Amino acid sequence: MTIKIVTDSSVQLTAAEIEQYDIEGVPLLVGFGGDLIADTAVSAAEFDQQMAVSPILPTTSQPPIGDFVTCYDALTKDGSQVLSLHLTETLSGTVNAARQAAKLASGDVTVIDTQAADRGMSFQVLTAARMAHAGADMAAILAKIAVIRQHTKTYLFVDTLDNLVKGGRVPKLAGVVTNLIKLKFVFELVDGKLKFYTRGRGKKALIKAQAQILDQLADATRVEAAGISYVGEPSVAEAPEKLLQQVVPQADLLVARTSPIIATHTGVGAYALMFYTVD
């Protein structure tokens, strides 16, 4: 039985990957105080520029349940199964909308919370798509992506807490104090939740934390794939990209501007390091 892969627009995939593996994406919604639009309707670069000058934080929303139902019914009408993989539940209600839609859809749909985001999420999506194209069954795919989920690391380097404060993910007082003394923060995504990793004053603190993380990578058995996603100017990713290429030159690395959905949470100047290892 054919298995078709569905994900959402917060994932970091190239156009070539989407086309090669027939991956279906359901867009999340975003807007600046007015009507919400599909985040795929605006380029990530345009969104970053608008967010940098906007006096208000963009608003985001998960896809309507009906969008998922329509997608699932279209893909399963030939008897195929659907495997739908989504952004961690702690950052978005997308996976819950997908779960509700799966109950309403006419076909066989399995929904997974990847407990990841951005390129870290794509490690599971791409593996599932490749295995599905090779004829693997659902049980085998689910077993494999569960392993990847356990071996994926994501570190978020935040230049300012403004967006995280406005989005309610850190206390307002923390944001005020941080900006006054120019503290920079690094978070790690653990079991789908943002956890404090380290902090320090100025950009040098971010560089030091980055070096420590990459030292860990050098000791890893093998880094299969890695990603660097950023918000704002491409120069934000230049230093971490050079270091990552030096430490793990064998890794399949994608450097790209993140989606409007992720950018809304992190703010301009943020970037993330994502990778997964294999034994």
Side-chain angles (χ1 to χ4, degrees):
M1 181 179 291
T2 301
I3 297 174
K4 298 177 181 179
I5 305 301
V6 174
T7 187
D8 61 67
S9 56
S10 69
V11 73
Q12 187 73 274
L13 292 169
T14 67
E17 289 168 342
I18 293 170
E19 180 179 2
Q20 180 177 1
Y21 297 109
D22 300 317
I23 299 170
E24 189 74 22
V26 178
L28 281 81
L29 306 178
V30 69
F32 286 88
D35 293 335
L36 299 182
I37 62 172
D39 71 331
T40 52
V42 59
S43 74
E46 291 172 340
F47 182 85
D48 286 358
Q49 291 172 1
Q50 187 174 358
M51 184 172 64
V53 299
S54 174
I56 60 173
L57 182 71
T59 301
T60 63
S61 178
Q62 65 265 26
I65 294 173
D67 288 2
F68 278 116
V69 173
T70 299
C71 174
Y72 295 157
D73 284 348
L75 295 178
T76 59
K77 65 181 180 181
D78 62 357
S80 297
Q81 293 177 287
V82 162
L83 176 57
S84 199
L85 304 107
H86 299 287
L87 175 64
T88 174
E89 183 177 0
T90 60
L91 293 181
S92 170
T94 299
V95 70
N96 284 326
R99 287 168 177 153
Q100 293 177 61
K103 295 177 182 178
L104 299 173
S106 57
D108 184 355
V109 180
T110 300
V111 177
I112 295 295
D113 181 346
T114 65
Q115 297 184 5
D118 202 270
R119 190 61 178 178
M121 181 174 153
S122 77
F123 302 151
Q124 294 174 60
V125 174
L126 284 173
T127 296
R130 288 166 181 152
M131 291 180 69
H133 269 240
D137 62 19
M138 186 68 75
I141 295 174
L142 293 178
K144 179 61 177 179
I145 64 174
V147 172
I148 293 174
R149 192 155 54 246
Q150 292 298 317
H151 287 78
T152 295
K153 293 282 189 179
T154 295
Y155 296 93
L156 172 63
F157 297 75
V158 181
D159 190 54
T160 171
L161 286 183
D162 288 349
N163 285 47
L164 288 171
V165 169
K166 292 176 184 177
R169 283 170 174 77
V170 296
K172 184 175 182 179
L173 180 60
V176 172
V177 173
T178 295
N179 289 336
L180 284 175
I181 61 177
K182 298 182 179 180
L183 278 179
K184 308 298 180 183
F185 281 78
V186 182
F187 296 91
E188 183 180 5
L189 196 62
V190 180
D191 295 329
K193 300 177 182 178
L194 278 179
K195 301 289 187 181
F196 170 73
Y197 181 77
T198 190
R199 67 185 177 188
R201 296 189 65 176
K203 292 186 180 296
K204 288 184 178 180
L206 297 185
I207 295 172
K208 180 180 179 180
Q210 178 181 278
Q212 293 173 341
I213 291 168
L214 293 182
D215 281 344
Q216 296 175 24
L217 277 185
D219 295 332
T221 305
R222 186 160 72 94
V223 177
E224 182 75 6
I228 300 174
S229 291
Y230 62 91
V231 185
E233 295 300 320
S235 58
V236 171
E238 288 177 357
E241 179 180 4
K242 288 179 181 178
L243 282 174
L244 198 56
Q245 289 175 336
Q246 292 173 4
V247 175
V248 286
Q250 81 283 356
D252 178 16
L253 172 64
L254 176 67
V255 180
R257 193 185 300 269
T258 195
S259 71
I261 297 299
I262 302 299
T264 294
H265 294 303
T266 61
V268 174
Y271 66 93
L273 298 179
M274 297 152 285
F275 55 90
Y276 87 88
T277 58
V278 295
D279 296 329

